[in-house]
Amino acid sequence: MDMMSYGSILKILQLNAKRHAHKAAVTFKRRGEWVTLSYAQFYDRILMASRGLRKAGIKPGDRVAIFSENRTGWAIADFGVQAARAITVPIYATNTAEQAEYVINHSESRIVFVSTRLQYEKILQIRQNIPHVERVVSFEQFLGSDDLPVNTLQQLSEVSHPLTDEERVELEEEIAQITPEDLITVIYTSGTTGVPKGVMLTHSNMLFDACAGVQKLGGMAEDEVFLSFLPLSHVLERTAGYHAPLMYGAHVAFAENVDKVVENIQEIRPTVMVSVPRLFEKIYSRIYENVHQAPAVRRSLFHWAVDVGKQYVYRRYIENQPVGSLGVKYGLAKRLVFSKIKPRFGGRMRFFISGGAPLDKTINEFMWAVGIPVFEGYGLTETSPALTLNTIADNRFGSVGQVLDQTEVKTAEDGELLVRGPQVMQGYYKNPEATAQTIIDGWLYTGDIARIDENGFVYIVDRKKEIIVTAGGKNVAPQPIENELKLDKYISQAFVYGDRKPYLVALLTPNVERLLEFAQDKKLNYIEIRDLVTHKKVHKLFEERVRDVNAKLPSYETIKKFVILPRDFSIEDGELTPTLKLKRKVIAEKYRVSIEGMFDANGNGNGNAQK
């Protein structure tokens, strides 16, 4: 069927409630047990939420915030807001009270949904500063303050009172009035720099992007099972891991939390997942650590299998050539090696979709070799998000794929990627100046430096504002170097710095588990991790690891000095965005003394690693 003709995702969901009435729509864990709502049940809960919102005075065009981690309540509230023809304003669950205050006030949200008492208490802290908020609705039950009463979603929805025929007709008449041009959401960019901007997306923007993405992948089977763990507050998960599967009659299970993803994969046994590169980095690192500790014969077998797998993938999927006898070798590699890796992904995983940050080429090649391809794509909050995507039929490692249907890309003189298409935002909420600076003559300026090859594959070089220009005038993209460093089993995270400086330096965080093994093996004396990262033998170890990376780089891209930090960068400390991108300005300022020390005449950096 022509999805676009329905004008909104909610109208398609209304149809699915009839077509797939008894089919599983969403699954979530409650009190240790997985619970499933069918499409009919899910849709009824959405209508009840809409009924409650309308009784609470929500009118078309009003803004309603959702301050919650992923869960079924998020989805019911979101579609309930849409059914009331209002506008959803998501807030990352990791946001502080002050960050939430800005979003709530700027959007003038009238109601705030919260997941737990923790989020409610953040709202309570800023109660006097958010005059537009009339009520708080929670997905869990707890006692609120007299200053800020709280109702549950069940109470708002009056779930003990089934919908009457009259109510259903009235509510569905409201849904019928949704137009493709109506705003579906205002998403505030997490932002690696500056004040967040509210991205205005319409029903048409998000509907088109979900349809075009699925079409690019060759369609979606109704028996697909998605495991959702990226924040629904982020547009990638919302479009690719939530809107798209529910539009096509698939099944969405919500992971308990990020820490339980590996466990939930075994329980749900998904067929598709949307992720950011960090998950694949951890998987790759853990597999290679286990191989490193295996007997020599098994190590040799593993490396042989990976080599054969990569040859097979390139021959079949990149060069589109007959595989010949290589197919026999690959069959043996699958049986002896890859068949033991795939169960770690639940046993049914067909593919991953990756976005949000660049995925290292080596890791992607490995995943394809194993038989679980990762389709890397590219987009922005401002583009709903997908603009390009690799597929099983058209893939180039290191690229972010080719453009979706009706989408155009080109590069400006300085290499910045410009785009236009039906998924491009309407502008920034209450910020016409920023809109005018971003959309010029119909083209959206992405802020990313890119190249486009003769086959239309797009390669993202780096963020325009993050390109390092050394004192010698060399332009250096830090992310590829950081990704190379992170492949090392002892390095967890890396931050490369050197703008207007004579050479590049790095802040490195250790893989604590591997570092402790090293300390035990070398019988190092220490009390805490802070002692270890300043130990001479640890410095020597890291010098060797960085030197290995430097050997692959031109001289001006090599890391001359580094500092080892005792812990990872984190969202909680403001160093990462909710989608795990480095907040470069924050990190540079926070560790300014350590960074500048590496450029002192005396060379106070705690490690040197020449090429």
Side-chain angles (χ1 to χ4, degrees):
M1 66 180 180
D2 178 13
M3 295 281 190
M4 289 302 296
S5 66
Y6 286 86
S8 79
I9 296 157
L10 189 57
K11 289 176 185 175
I12 298 170
L13 198 56
Q14 180 182 352
L15 175 69
N16 285 346
K18 296 183 178 70
R19 289 200 316 153
H20 305 298
H22 304 294
K23 189 173 180 295
V26 292
T27 292
F28 55 100
K29 213 167 205 181
R30 185 170 62 195
R31 292 189 285 275
E33 298 292 331
W34 289 102
V35 178
T36 297
L37 295 180
S38 69
Y39 271 88
Q41 291 169 325
F42 182 52
Y43 180 63
D44 273 5
R45 289 292 303 275
I46 290 165
L47 291 184
M48 289 177 178
S50 178
R51 175 178 67 184
L53 287 166
R54 294 179 70 198
K55 284 185 179 181
I58 292 298
K59 301 286 193 301
D62 284 346
R63 277 75 61 204
V64 177
I66 303 178
F67 193 9
S68 167
E69 66 285 342
N70 287 18
R71 56 199 300 156
T72 298
W74 205 110
I76 292 169
D78 178 35
F79 279 120
V81 170
Q82 292 179 41
R85 294 172 57 208
I87 301 165
T88 300
V89 179
I91 304 174
Y92 285 103
T94 51
N95 276 12
T96 63
E98 291 73 20
Q99 290 169 326
E101 178 185 326
Y102 178 84
V103 172
I104 292 166
N105 277 339
H106 191 266
S107 65
E108 300 176 55
S109 292
R110 293 180 56 198
I111 288 179
V112 180
F113 285 96
V114 298
S115 52
T116 61
R117 186 173 188 87
L118 174 65
Q119 307 297 10
Y120 168 78
E121 286 177 349
K122 292 179 188 177
I123 299 299
L124 195 57
Q125 287 177 40
I126 57 173
R127 178 65 188 113
Q128 301 308 313
N129 304 332
I130 48 174
H132 296 288
V133 174
E134 298 166 8
R135 129 183 353 221
V136 172
V137 180
S138 174
F139 302 145
E140 294 183 3
Q141 190 164 11
F142 52 81
L143 286 175
S145 163
D146 291 340
D147 296 335
L148 186 61
V150 58
N151 301 116
T152 65
L153 175 59
Q154 286 85 351
Q155 289 168 336
L156 177 81
S157 304
E158 298 178 290
V159 293
S160 58
H161 296 282
L163 293 161
T164 65
D165 290 342
E166 290 176 329
E167 285 175 330
R168 187 179 293 274
V169 168
E170 184 181 345
L171 291 164
E172 292 190 333
E173 283 176 352
E174 192 75 33
I175 293 172
Q177 293 183 56
I178 296 172
T179 73
E181 293 73 33
D182 289 341
L183 289 186
I184 186 174
T185 192
V186 175
I187 302 176
Y188 283 79
T189 56
S190 54
T192 54
T193 61
V195 175
K197 296 189 288 286
V199 175
M200 296 188 291
L201 299 176
T202 64
H203 286 272
S204 179
N205 287 149
M206 299 198 85
L207 175 58
F208 170 83
D209 206 61
C211 289
V214 171
Q215 179 186 354
K216 187 77 171 171
L217 290 171
M220 186 187 299
E222 292 179 356
D223 61 353
E224 298 287 17
V225 179
F226 283 65
L227 181 63
S228 170
F229 82 97
L230 291 182
L232 286 169
S233 309
H234 188 258
V235 69
L236 173 61
E237 184 67 25
R238 191 138 162 230
T239 297
Y242 161 58
H243 283 164
L246 291 174
M247 286 165 53
Y248 286 84
H251 179 192
V252 179
F254 293 107
E256 293 175 82
N257 55 56
V258 175
D259 297 331
K260 291 284 187 74
V261 169
V262 174
E263 181 182 323
N264 292 164
I265 285 174
Q266 297 302 322
E267 294 170 324
I268 296 297
R269 301 180 65 236
T271 60
V272 182
M273 282 179 68
V274 181
S275 184
V276 289
R278 189 65 180 147
L279 175 68
F280 307 117
E281 291 166 2
K282 288 184 175 180
I283 290 169
Y284 180 87
S285 176
R286 181 53 59 91
I287 289 172
Y288 269 81
E289 286 163 18
N290 291 341
V291 169
H292 180 72
Q293 295 169 5
V297 174
R298 283 182 56 194
R299 284 203 306 271
S300 297
L301 178 62
F302 175 85
H303 292 304
W304 170 83
V306 171
D307 185 52
V308 167
K310 288 182 179 180
Q311 290 179 49
Y312 176 84
V313 166
Y314 270 88
R315 181 84 58 85
R316 179 176 177 183
Y317 297 110
I318 308 300
E319 299 163 4
N320 294 313
Q321 296 294 320
V323 295
S325 61
L326 189 57
V328 177
K329 289 183 181 178
Y330 184 63
L332 188 60
K334 281 203 299 184
R335 190 164 71 252
L336 296 178
V337 177
F338 301 145
S339 63
K340 296 174 177 61
I341 294 175
K342 292 185 80 169
R344 297 187 183 199
F345 300 94
R348 297 194 302 180
M349 190 72 73
R350 295 201 310 112
F351 63 87
F352 283 94
I353 296 169
S354 178
L359 173 62
D360 187 85
K361 179 181 175 183
T362 302
I363 295 175
N364 201 357
E365 289 171 342
F366 172 76
M367 293 296 293
W368 277 69
V370 168
I372 307 177
V374 178
F375 300 135
E376 187 173 12
Y378 166 80
L380 311 167
T381 304
E382 289 86 344
T383 57
S384 306
L387 293 162
T388 65
L389 188 62
N390 279 294
T391 68
I392 199 76
D394 294 291
N395 179 69
R396 293 292 184 276
F397 294 112
S399 85
V400 291
Q402 298 168 315
V403 292
L404 303 187
D405 185 40
Q406 300 179 49
T407 303
E408 300 173 77
V409 294
K410 66 178 182 178
T411 53
E413 287 185 11
D414 63 356
E416 182 173 1
L417 186 67
L418 314 184
V419 304
R420 67 181 177 189
Q423 66 274 64
V424 172
M425 69 170 179
Q426 306 310 295
Y428 295 114
Y429 187 61
K430 297 196 297 192
N431 197 341
E433 296 83 5
T435 302
Q437 291 169 6
T438 305
I439 302 177
I440 303 171
D441 297 329
W443 290 89
L444 184 140
Y445 283 61
T446 65
D448 286 310
I449 303 296
R451 67 178 178 88
I452 305 169
D453 73 12
E454 65 279 4
N455 295 310
F457 285 92
V458 178
Y459 295 78
I460 302 299
V461 177
D462 214 313
R463 289 292 296 168
K464 183 176 179 179
K465 293 178 181 177
E466 292 173 3
I467 292 290
I468 294 170
V469 182
T470 66
K474 295 289 188 181
N475 283 21
V476 178
Q479 284 188 334
I481 304 171
E482 290 162 353
N483 286 340
E484 195 66 36
L485 287 163
K486 288 189 294 184
L487 285 177
D488 188 274
K489 70 174 185 176
Y490 288 104
I491 299 173
S492 176
Q493 292 173 325
F495 169 81
V496 172
Y497 184 89
D499 202 41
R500 293 174 289 180
K501 298 292 187 181
Y503 49 82
L504 301 185
V505 299
L507 299 176
L508 306 175
T509 71
N511 179 327
V512 174
E513 198 175 341
R514 298 290 76 77
L515 187 59
L516 292 177
E517 287 176 359
F518 174 81
Q520 185 177 8
D521 183 52
K522 300 297 181 184
K523 298 181 173 55
L524 304 184
N525 293 321
Y526 66 96
I527 297 173
E528 56 183 3
I529 297 298
R530 192 173 298 276
D531 302 322
L532 266 186
V533 299
T534 55
H535 198 288
K536 286 184 180 180
K537 288 191 177 179
V538 172
H539 290 160
K540 184 172 173 50
L541 170 71
F542 273 68
E543 281 175 16
E544 293 168 356
R545 318 306 289 196
V546 174
R547 197 175 296 130
D548 288 345
V549 172
N550 282 346
K552 307 171 189 174
L553 301 170
S555 177
Y556 65 88
E557 288 189 0
T558 57
I559 304 301
K560 298 298 192 287
K561 297 181 182 180
F562 61 86
V563 167
I564 311 171
L565 303 176
R567 63 163 184 83
D568 272 351
F569 301 121
S570 71
I571 296 171
E572 292 73 22
D573 287 314
E575 298 149 339
L576 301 179
T577 70
T579 51
L580 307 181
K581 295 192 193 81
L582 297 175
K583 287 190 174 182
R584 294 186 180 275
K585 284 193 174 181
V586 172
I587 293 170
E589 181 56 33
K590 193 168 188 175
Y591 298 97
R592 183 171 53 83
V593 173
S594 294
I595 291 170
E596 291 301 328
M598 290 186 274
F599 296 106
D600 283 353
N602 297 325
N604 292 332
N606 72 1
N608 296 286
Q610 303 297 322
K611 183 174 177 180

